[in-house]
Amino acid sequence: MQFFAAQGKESLVAAALEASMRSVRLCGANASAFDLEEHQRWCAEAVKERVVLKVCAPEARGAYLQKHTTYLVAQELHQEGVRRRFRDFEWLRVVLHARYVGLLVPSLPEKTTTAAVLKNDAFLQSRMRALQHFLNDIMQSPYLRSDAAVASFLGEPGDEATWEAMRKGTAVMENAGEGHMRWLQRIMCEHIASSPETEISVFKRHVEQRERLLGELAACAKRLADKSAAMAKDVSTLHAIFAGWQLAETGTGTFEARNDGPLVSLLDKSTATTCGWSQVENFQPAIFELLLLENIKYMLHQATGMKQMLMERERAIAGESSPERKPSPPPSESPASPPTSGFSVASFTSVASSAASRFMSAVEPPSLSVEEQQRRAHHTSELITRALMAEEMQRFRSETTKTLEHVMDHFSCAEAQLTKRSGSVWREYLKTSPVDPQTLAQSTKELLDSASTSNNSPTSSAANAF
């Protein structure tokens, strides 16, 4: 992305901050006419039309160092869309984060540059799901979905030059759409208590605790996914061994010609049962990965994003009272050196250093005055504070609850179906067992009891399952 690389994230954020300050002044004229009830009705109406986006069809483009993957972004049930690469998604998030100061923008998956990982199909599928989650969360926000940058991201299918122009035109704007103006009006009209620090400090502690616990959950879910994948592989191997034994015992003769008919019959049944078991176990890694791990990681990223926003607010408050000052480098005097007609390392280093200094002075923006730094810091801290008190603290809490409920509902449903299918596999085997079910259950319980007693296990006995 030439524009994003050339202008740079920091320059874009700085320009967006200046535009945000002008936007606040633009909204100030209409502050007296703000009606909270009307605003809430507008928010509900803005997201009334359900828009579901899909990210699919990865396609490798470019060659050598320019090689990258693009993804098709389209509405659900639509075949046509636009192609975007990961850096385009990054650009969109940077723009929205810089423009909507104080609003927790949806998270992106981690960036990976390892070639072997990027070629992995499972990685591509996981990344597409995460990018899809990012876009659909944007479409659920009444403020973000109508933003000019979002519209250009979704609606410009032209060539790279056209898309480059659209990025330049929508990256920094004083008025990026009705949602942008509505967001600023909402937070600027929020009544702030004389000292909101106590409430925000308590909220920050809750966010930090939530981030820690979600990190532990994500690590545990990752272990479960890895272990279930290993389990599925071992069960598949077990089935293959039973199948091999069955073939070895069967040979090439007819049923009557077999040496051990009862054993072969038992192997037939055991092979069929382990085949069904293997099929069931093959579903488990995907359930852990898709329904548990990926959703918990997204919740973790959102918690981390909220913590970073709170830290940004603290830095801005500190900057209001003591803005950063760039220390001026002490003047350096180069000792006179005798002229030389040949090459010397010292002379080359001196020339290179001088050229580098001239280059940096040309591209580095001039340092801001103390007053300007304080003005920017005050703007940032005020907007984040207003956003937290107006909507974002409550929205963060409710979104966490909503997402966790969504995760556990789907995870529980999948596990219940898997348990049902697994149970049917074993019940089918037991139907043909010559042993009475009650007697078999009692003897199995006794075996498990004796095993737990001999091992002196501190955990509850497996026999308690009976």
Side-chain angles (χ1 to χ4, degrees):
M1 185 187 297
Q2 296 174 356
F3 166 67
F4 198 35
Q7 185 165 343
K9 178 180 176 180
E10 292 184 3
S11 299
L12 190 154
V13 170
L17 183 61
E18 280 294 322
S20 174
M21 296 168 76
R22 294 191 295 271
S23 300
V24 169
R25 291 194 293 270
L26 191 65
C27 291
N30 301 322
S32 58
F34 181 78
D35 184 339
L36 181 58
E37 291 185 0
E38 186 277 333
H39 175 80
Q40 291 172 340
R41 288 194 298 270
W42 175 86
C43 288
E45 189 66 27
V47 295
K48 188 175 181 180
E49 181 184 357
R50 185 171 178 266
V51 177
V52 179
L53 300 172
K54 61 179 180 179
V55 178
C56 57
E59 181 180 293
R61 293 187 176 182
Y64 301 105
L65 296 178
Q66 299 298 321
K67 192 170 185 179
H68 60 276
T69 302
T70 65
Y71 307 93
L72 178 67
V73 179
Q75 284 196 44
E76 194 176 42
L77 305 179
H78 287 67
Q79 298 298 322
E80 296 183 356
V82 294
R83 285 213 157 263
R84 298 289 180 251
R85 58 187 298 185
F86 187 77
R87 286 196 299 183
D88 295 329
F89 288 86
E90 282 187 306
W91 169 86
L92 178 61
R93 191 182 188 282
V94 168
V95 168
L96 295 178
H97 178 75
R99 182 173 291 158
Y100 295 83
V101 180
L103 189 148
L104 182 61
V105 177
S107 302
L108 282 172
E110 302 93 338
K111 186 171 184 177
T112 303
T113 56
T114 307
V117 175
L118 292 171
K119 293 178 181 178
N120 185 280
D121 184 64
F123 168 79
L124 287 176
Q125 294 296 326
S126 177
R127 169 169 278 191
M128 286 190 293
R129 288 190 296 268
L131 295 176
Q132 187 168 293
H133 196 164
F134 165 74
L135 291 178
N136 284 317
D137 267 15
I138 287 177
M139 300 312 292
Q140 291 176 15
S141 167
Y143 308 115
L144 301 179
R145 69 183 292 167
S146 61
D147 188 271
V150 175
S152 65
F153 179 90
L154 297 175
E156 183 47 64
D159 57 16
E160 181 63 24
T162 307
W163 172 221
E164 179 93 5
M166 292 296 294
R167 285 196 297 265
K168 289 182 179 180
T170 57
V172 179
M173 303 178 72
E174 295 178 14
N175 184 344
E178 186 177 7
H180 182 209
M181 293 293 101
R182 287 273 188 172
W183 164 252
L184 289 174
Q185 290 171 4
R186 172 67 184 95
I187 63 176
M188 293 309 296
C189 292
E190 177 68 15
H191 174 71
I192 303 297
S194 57
S195 180
E197 296 305 318
T198 301
E199 185 175 353
I200 293 177
S201 296
V202 172
F203 175 69
K204 183 184 177 184
R205 289 196 295 271
H206 289 166
V207 171
E208 291 172 341
Q209 180 188 54
R210 193 167 296 174
E211 182 192 34
R212 176 179 60 80
L213 293 172
L214 285 169
E216 293 175 3
L217 278 175
C220 183
K222 180 67 168 65
R223 291 194 298 271
L224 285 171
D226 292 342
K227 289 179 179 179
S228 65
M231 175 73 171
K233 184 177 180 180
D234 286 341
V235 172
S236 179
T237 302
L238 184 72
H239 165 248
I241 294 171
F242 266 112
W245 188 2
Q246 178 195 28
L247 289 174
E249 291 290 339
T250 302
T252 56
T254 62
F255 181 82
E256 290 76 16
R258 294 173 182 172
N259 295 328
D260 194 341
L263 175 60
V264 171
S265 178
L266 180 60
L267 286 172
D268 286 344
K269 188 170 67 169
S270 299
T271 301
T273 301
T274 54
C275 178
W277 183 23
S278 177
Q279 291 174 353
V280 170
E281 289 297 329
N282 281 331
F283 290 116
Q284 188 66 75
I287 291 175
F288 281 132
E289 183 81 25
L290 273 64
L291 300 184
L292 198 61
L293 178 59
E294 290 186 1
N295 285 296
I296 289 176
K297 283 173 65 177
Y298 184 80
M299 293 171 66
L300 173 61
H301 292 159
Q302 287 295 89
T304 301
M306 177 57 76
K307 186 181 78 170
Q308 290 172 346
M309 185 166 70
L310 291 166
M311 293 171 63
E312 181 183 359
R313 174 181 176 272
E314 292 175 353
R315 288 192 297 269
I317 292 174
E320 289 184 62
S321 56
S322 55
E324 295 181 1
R325 296 174 181 269
K326 290 187 178 181
S328 301
S332 58
E333 296 183 2
S334 302
S337 56
T340 174
S341 58
F343 171 82
S344 72
V345 174
S347 62
F348 177 79
T349 304
S350 175
V351 172
S353 177
S354 176
S357 299
R358 290 195 303 272
F359 172 76
M360 290 306 296
S361 63
V363 300
E364 186 176 350
S367 58
L368 299 173
S369 66
V370 172
E371 292 76 12
E372 181 61 23
Q373 291 184 54
Q374 289 176 326
R375 189 170 70 93
R376 291 188 176 193
H378 174 74
H379 173 80
T380 300
S381 65
E382 182 182 16
L383 259 61
I384 294 178
T385 301
R386 287 182 172 277
L388 289 170
M389 302 303 292
E391 291 188 2
E392 289 305 279
M393 286 196 293
Q394 179 57 38
R395 187 172 74 88
F396 179 76
R397 296 187 185 102
S398 61
E399 285 295 321
T400 301
T401 303
K402 179 181 175 182
T403 304
L404 184 59
E405 183 179 35
H406 173 86
V407 171
M408 291 308 300
D409 284 352
H410 287 83
F411 181 68
S412 300
C413 179
E415 287 296 329
Q417 291 297 319
L418 202 63
T419 302
K420 181 180 178 181
R421 185 165 179 172
S422 177
S424 67
V425 170
W426 301 114
R427 282 191 295 271
E428 192 65 28
Y429 178 90
L430 291 174
K431 282 181 182 178
T432 58
S433 174
V435 184
D436 176 68
Q438 294 294 332
T439 304
L440 181 60
Q442 182 60 34
S443 62
T444 304
K445 183 177 184 300
E446 290 172 357
L447 282 172
L448 292 172
D449 270 332
S450 63
S452 62
T453 303
S454 61
N455 292 334
N456 294 319
S457 174
T459 59
S460 59
S461 169
N464 292 337
F466 287 80

